[in-house]
Amino acid sequence: MDHHHQHCSESPQTLSPPPPSSTDDTTTTITTPTCCKCGATAAFNAPPPWSEISPPNYRPIRAPAINLPPNQSQQAIILTPVPQAQRVPIETPPFQFQTPSKRIQSPEDIRRFHESFSGKNFLGFIVALSESVRGRKISDPVHHQSPITDSIVSILETLIQWVDEIPPTQMKSRYGNVSYRVWQERLVENSENLMLRFLPDDLRSSTVEIVPYFTDSFGNSSRIDYGTGHETNFAAWLYCLARLGLIKEEDYDSVVIRIFVKYMALMRKLQTVYCLEPAGSHGVWGLDDYHFLPYIFGSSQLINHKYMKPKSIHNEDILENFSHEYLYLSCIAFVKKVKKGPFSEHSPLLDDISGVPNWNKVNSGLLKMYKVEVLEKVPIMQHFIFGSLIKWGSVLTILPPNF
């Protein structure tokens, strides 16, 4: 029978290893995915196992978000230093808020971004958030209960309520429920008023700059999809609030275990109710169809845990009892809930990570991987926007690396 479609990967089938060649005496098992539409073989090789030095490379399946061949991408991760936390400098008057715009179009632009102060400081902010929840559970008291944090959590609860008020349309297609566009339209119409819930009078004019980051944090209404680029926009929105002095260093743990946890609850609801397409998914060889940051924050939570190790993700009792306390376990539990088949087949990268000896190595490896596989990818970062708070090509200022 002739096939008139592109093959998409489903579950890999393990084949017998080929005879060793004269130049390589190691034996390798080759796994070949099968097409989810016709059952034919789809020629994608299994990734090498996660090492203690760096994550493995993989073959993207749909909408690949890569600039480099896989072996060069893996080498880039190996050579990348572990990112370090940085303080966020507060913007001072006179303010020059502006509508942010896209500036990244090429690998050279990516290089310019990462060599700039904004690029280094934004990543340093992510690391600082990660470090703020090291050894902390979601239910733990936060260091500082800020009115700003409470207001942002309330805004996210409002967005969750809107999902209940806008039911999905009955459709036959697997992805892309059109009711999501109604939800997104309401978001855009009300976003400025939502920001004014917590902005002081002297910062009300900042809405022209921070609203675009916010509205692009929950997916794309045209494609009805969501991915790590949108998640990065949410982190950028939080970074802008830190630049405005609204989020302070003592708020960082509450930003993760209050705000980001609520953001994850909203995104999972949007993904399941409106069947959002994974944006730029790497398919079976990706870390996750939608997210990256909760794995970074969640692995930090588990560093030096007395009982739970990376391999504990395979213990169903642990997932059932502790997924509400640790973001990493919550992500694993959600993946197992929505995906069918053996975990090692639908999530081989996460399965490989479970073999790393401790959470500190998992956390540092994921930080390096986030920089290379998300923040250095043109197809993702070409949508990133720059204004006065995240400046394009800004000169690097020396700041203390840790605090």
Side-chain angles (χ1 to χ4, degrees), residues 47-77:
W50 176 291
S51 70
E52 295 185 15
I53 300 176
S54 69
N57 60 340
Y58 48 78
R59 292 286 188 90
I61 292 177
R62 180 179 62 249
I66 62 170
N67 322 320
L68 301 172
N71 60 331
Q72 291 186 33
S73 184
Q74 183 187 28
Q75 188 69 14
I77 296 172

Side-chain angles (χ1 to χ4, degrees), residues 179-210:
S179 290
Y180 170 73
R181 291 173 177 159
V182 180
W183 182 92
Q184 181 72 244
E185 183 179 1
R186 185 184 292 187
L187 171 71
V188 172
E189 290 175 351
N190 291 275
S191 57
E192 184 172 355
N193 288 332
L194 292 174
M195 299 301 100
L196 294 177
R197 286 190 187 182
F198 61 84
L199 286 174
D201 289 343
D202 63 327
L203 293 176
R204 292 172 70 90
S205 59
S206 68
T207 55
V208 67
E209 186 157 337
I210 66 175

Side-chain angles (χ1 to χ4, degrees), residues 333-350:
F334 186 73
V335 167
K336 289 188 173 184
K337 177 183 176 182
V338 300
K339 291 194 174 184
K340 306 298 182 182
F343 185 75
S344 60
E345 293 186 0
H346 62 62
S347 302
L349 182 52
L350 291 173

